Amino acid sequence: MAQGGGRVQRAAVIGCGTVGASWAALFLVHGLDVTATDPAEGAEERLRAFVEGARAQLAGFGLTGSGRLRFVPRVPEALDGAEFVQENAPETEALKRALLAEIDRLLPPQVLVASSTSALLRSAIVADCARPERVLVAHPFNPPHLVPLVEIVAGDAATAARAAAFYRGLGRRPVILRREMPGHIANRLASALYREAVNLVAEGVASVADIDAALCHGPGLRWAAMGPHMTYHLGGGAGGIAHYLAHLGPSQERRWASLGNPALTPEVQAAIVAGVAEEAAGLSVAELEARRDRALVGILKARETVAPDPAQDGTAEE
Amino acid sequence: MAQGGGRVQRAAVIGCGTVGASWAALFLVHGLDVTATDPAEGAEERLRAFVEGARAQLAGFGLTGSGRLRFVPRVPEALDGAEFVQENAPETEALKRALLAEIDRLLPPQVLVASSTSALLRSAIVADCARPERVLVAHPFNPPHLVPLVEIVAGDAATAARAAAFYRGLGRRPVILRREMPGHIANRLASALYREAVNLVAEGVASVADIDAALCHGPGLRWAAMGPHMTYHLGGGAGGIAHYLAHLGPSQERRWASLGNPALTPEVQAAIVAGVAEEAAGLSVAELEARRDRALVGILKARETVAPDPAQDGTAEE
């Protein structure tokens, strides 16, 4: 993809918090040169430290590409020569909107500009771009150098396909939305589940730790291998999803009607905070993150998924 | 646990569909003798075939116990000498209620009787038991010989602890509910997520396969390592869940308000069935189940989870 049909050799990473730093690491181990920028105090040091740690994790997957990392003080320098841009600025609509318009203005028209935005809509953040058709949402899941999902919202199918090919080349699993939705897909699914997880705390059904355990030793474990529709397909036995929906659809609808609609009152928040502290058992967030990453590395190396992966035949590759 | 402080040597499995057969396999590879019964035509052959396959899977975990499997025609013979009973009859309240009353009447009072019920409430199904306090819900996730979760609903804490110790001895991860809820914990979480997954199909946001992929390459992957509360704890950065709730709680509540409330209309069902067929790409349910089980075996061997496992100090062991 990118200019003249060649592969991207050089990417710009705009904004180097957790998400941007993780993208940078992924690009680098796939051999891309990365030029990064972030206005925060100490951003370069944090970026380099993160990349060093992530490189070590990714080496375990045989990903040892030696892209070169440069950190520059301002956006225009970061864009100089960039063939792909990943923007990871704070989730403020006005800020993203102005930043994407600036990036769009500075770059040749064939370069794709991808925003990692989680909470904002593409239509809103491209509003001031002169060439909005090359600006897309490519939302990863934390940490993007390990979690394969990239949710793509683009202005047209051809742009979505170009971006998907780029991310597929980095070992990611792009998913293309047919139309934009607040929260895209995965965070909507997560939010729906979290509402009931909060409800179960609010209703005193189990401890926070046991609610978490019920997910990750039960359906969460299965969901690392297959999604919800496929899960109920197998739940339908030999008759599959059609049998499931015909026989258990009504009980799903009754269950939906019984789900909670909690509010995050001060009392509920306090119960969650206390319960998480008990579950964490004295481990800091940094220690828990290190455990998460070790767990993800282990699972990713081991797993296969149930659904056949869609054709990676390169037809979308330019 | 069980009689006189000894360990369970002999379990009865009442009902040998998918769930019962999977429990039987788990018990056998942990060295328990199993006496099983099921009134269905061909039940013994299906049970023995399932157990043979499951034994091969579990041997990969070093679980090679050689419990003896006996199949008997009726419930009273299955209970003869049983030190633990796992009941897996169809999910019909009247049937379970009568069956549990019969089991309760035939067994010495110290033997625990666990129902695998997914959809029914303990209070309803123990209603005709003379000694309801020893009858509990112990709900597994399919397939129970691989997925560790067991959700326990008991009449008192001592019974819950005895049952939890039994399942922990089989490598399961018991979770004890403080009070009964329709769907227990995990199926409520799954149902909440599924509602939004159906909504995204109904709204035409993405294909069924892409919605499934968004889960299992994104949050589902992470949920194999940690639950939703811990996930947002890490999402809060150094400030953890308290920071997350203070800063992003309001946007979670807005997201909750934006989630869909779909109906499983004939059109929506048809879209799901067609989408699943496309995702399955010609594989049968049996082939997809085999893939699922290979995936689960791989993930289980590889993973560690983020939260420290609660004390397995045997204090709950009797």
Side-chain angles (χ1 to χ4, degrees):
Chain A
M1 62 144 297
Q3 282 100 323
R7 287 198 162 268
V8 169
Q9 304 287 336
R10 186 165 176 182
V13 171
I14 311 296
C16 302
T18 312
V19 173
S22 181
W23 276 127
L26 181 73
F27 295 164
L28 290 163
V29 300
H30 281 275
L32 276 66
D33 290 332
V34 172
T35 310
T37 189
D38 189 303
E41 187 74 36
E44 180 173 3
E45 291 66 33
R46 283 195 299 276
L47 171 63
R48 292 193 182 277
F50 185 97
V51 164
E52 191 177 347
R55 273 188 186 278
Q57 289 171 340
L58 293 166
F61 293 89
L63 295 169
T64 55
S66 54
R68 202 166 52 99
L69 174 61
R70 271 202 321 142
F71 188 91
V72 297
R74 290 176 324 124
V75 170
E77 296 161 73
L79 300 180
D80 187 30
E83 296 159 338
F84 192 93
V85 176
Q86 189 79 43
E87 170 274 308
N88 323 279
E91 292 283 76
T92 310
E93 186 171 314
L95 187 157
K96 288 247 197 223
R97 190 165 155 164
L99 176 60
L100 289 172
E102 182 193 4
I103 293 170
D104 178 44
R105 189 168 45 79
L106 292 169
L107 278 175
Q110 76 279 15
V111 177
L112 293 184
V113 178
S115 171
S116 299
T117 190
S118 171
L120 304 174
L121 290 176
R122 176 182 173 275
S123 56
I125 59 178
V126 304
D128 293 338
C129 291
R131 289 161 294 195
E133 64 282 358
R134 57 86 162 261
V135 184
L136 62 136
V137 168
H139 173 244
F141 252 66
N142 249 336
H145 71 281
L146 294 177
V147 180
L149 178 64
V150 183
E151 296 177 301
I152 292 177
V153 187
D156 58 63
T159 305
R162 275 182 67 196
F166 170 72
Y167 292 110
R168 214 176 276 122
L170 304 172
R172 302 300 88 188
R173 175 61 167 85
V175 159
I176 296 173
L177 276 73
R178 291 172 181 159
R179 61 189 188 83
E180 64 182 9
M181 277 292 268
H184 317 313
I185 296 170
N187 270 332
R188 292 182 69 86
L189 299 177
S191 187
L193 182 140
Y194 188 51
R195 176 163 59 176
E196 186 58 22
V198 169
N199 181 55
L200 292 167
V201 175
E203 294 288 323
V205 173
S207 71
V208 164
D210 274 358
I211 293 165
D212 274 359
L215 188 67
C216 80
H217 296 283
L221 174 66
R222 288 196 314 208
W223 284 333
M226 61 184 174
H229 295 293
M230 184 60 81
T231 297
Y232 289 113
H233 184 50
L234 300 193
I241 187 76
H243 179 86
Y244 177 83
L245 291 171
H247 289 256
L248 291 172
S251 72
Q252 270 287 355
E253 292 184 314
R254 282 193 300 276
R255 177 71 41 79
W256 293 346
S258 88
L259 295 173
N261 193 10
L264 286 168
T265 62
E267 294 71 29
V268 169
Q269 293 196 33
I272 294 171
V273 169
V276 168
E278 190 186 341
E279 184 181 4
L283 296 179
S284 69
V285 168
E287 289 166 324
L288 292 164
E289 276 176 348
R291 281 192 179 216
R292 176 196 65 192
D293 288 356
R294 283 200 310 273
L296 290 176
V297 166
I299 294 167
L300 282 165
K301 282 184 183 163
R303 78 170 181 163
E304 54 184 324
T305 57
V306 170
D309 216 25
Q312 304 208 1
D313 56 8
T315 49
E317 192 90 18
E318 289 184 46
Chain B
M1 61 146 297
Q3 283 99 320
R7 288 196 161 271
V8 169
Q9 304 287 337
R10 186 166 176 182
V13 170
I14 310 297
C16 302
T18 313
V19 173
S22 182
W23 276 127
L26 182 73
F27 295 163
L28 291 163
V29 299
H30 281 276
L32 275 65
D33 290 333
V34 171
T35 310
T37 189
D38 190 303
E41 187 73 37
E44 179 173 4
E45 291 65 33
R46 284 194 300 276
L47 170 64
R48 292 194 181 277
F50 185 97
V51 163
E52 191 177 348
R55 273 188 186 277
Q57 291 171 339
L58 293 166
F61 294 90
L63 294 170
T64 56
S66 54
R68 204 165 51 98
L69 175 62
R70 270 201 322 141
F71 188 89
V72 296
R74 291 177 319 125
V75 170
E77 295 160 73
L79 299 180
D80 188 29
E83 296 159 337
F84 192 93
V85 176
Q86 189 80 42
E87 171 273 311
N88 324 279
E91 293 282 76
T92 310
E93 187 171 312
L95 187 157
K96 288 246 198 223
R97 191 166 153 165
L99 177 60
L100 289 171
E102 181 193 5
I103 294 171
D104 177 44
R105 191 168 45 77
L106 291 169
L107 278 175
Q110 75 279 16
V111 177
L112 293 184
V113 178
S115 172
S116 298
T117 188
S118 171
L120 303 174
L121 291 176
R122 177 183 172 275
S123 56
I125 59 178
V126 305
D128 292 338
C129 292
R131 286 160 295 195
E133 66 281 0
R134 57 88 162 259
V135 184
L136 62 137
V137 168
H139 173 245
F141 252 66
N142 249 335
H145 71 282
L146 293 177
V147 180
L149 178 63
V150 182
E151 296 178 301
I152 292 177
V153 187
D156 58 62
T159 305
R162 275 181 68 194
F166 171 71
Y167 292 110
R168 212 175 279 123
L170 303 172
R172 303 302 86 189
R173 175 61 166 88
V175 158
I176 297 173
L177 276 73
R178 292 172 181 158
R179 61 190 188 80
E180 64 181 8
M181 279 290 268
H184 316 314
I185 296 171
N187 270 332
R188 292 181 70 85
L189 299 177
S191 186
L193 182 139
Y194 188 51
R195 176 162 60 176
E196 186 57 23
V198 169
N199 181 55
L200 291 167
V201 175
E203 294 288 325
V205 173
S207 70
V208 164
D210 273 358
I211 293 166
D212 274 358
L215 187 68
C216 81
H217 295 283
L221 175 66
R222 289 197 312 209
W223 284 332
M226 60 185 174
H229 295 292
M230 184 61 80
T231 297
Y232 289 114
H233 184 49
L234 300 193
I241 188 75
H243 180 85
Y244 177 83
L245 291 172
H247 290 255
L248 293 173
S251 72
Q252 271 287 356
E253 291 183 313
R254 282 194 299 276
R255 177 72 41 78
W256 293 345
S258 87
L259 296 173
N261 193 10
L264 287 167
T265 63
E267 294 71 28
V268 169
Q269 293 194 34
I272 294 171
V273 169
V276 167
E278 191 186 340
E279 183 181 6
L283 296 179
S284 70
V285 168
E287 288 166 324
L288 292 164
E289 275 176 346
R291 282 192 178 216
R292 176 196 64 190
D293 287 356
R294 284 200 309 272
L296 290 176
V297 166
I299 294 167
L300 282 165
K301 282 183 184 165
R303 79 170 178 165
E304 55 184 324
T305 58
V306 170
D309 215 25
Q312 303 209 1
D313 55 9
T315 49
E317 192 92 19
E318 290 181 45

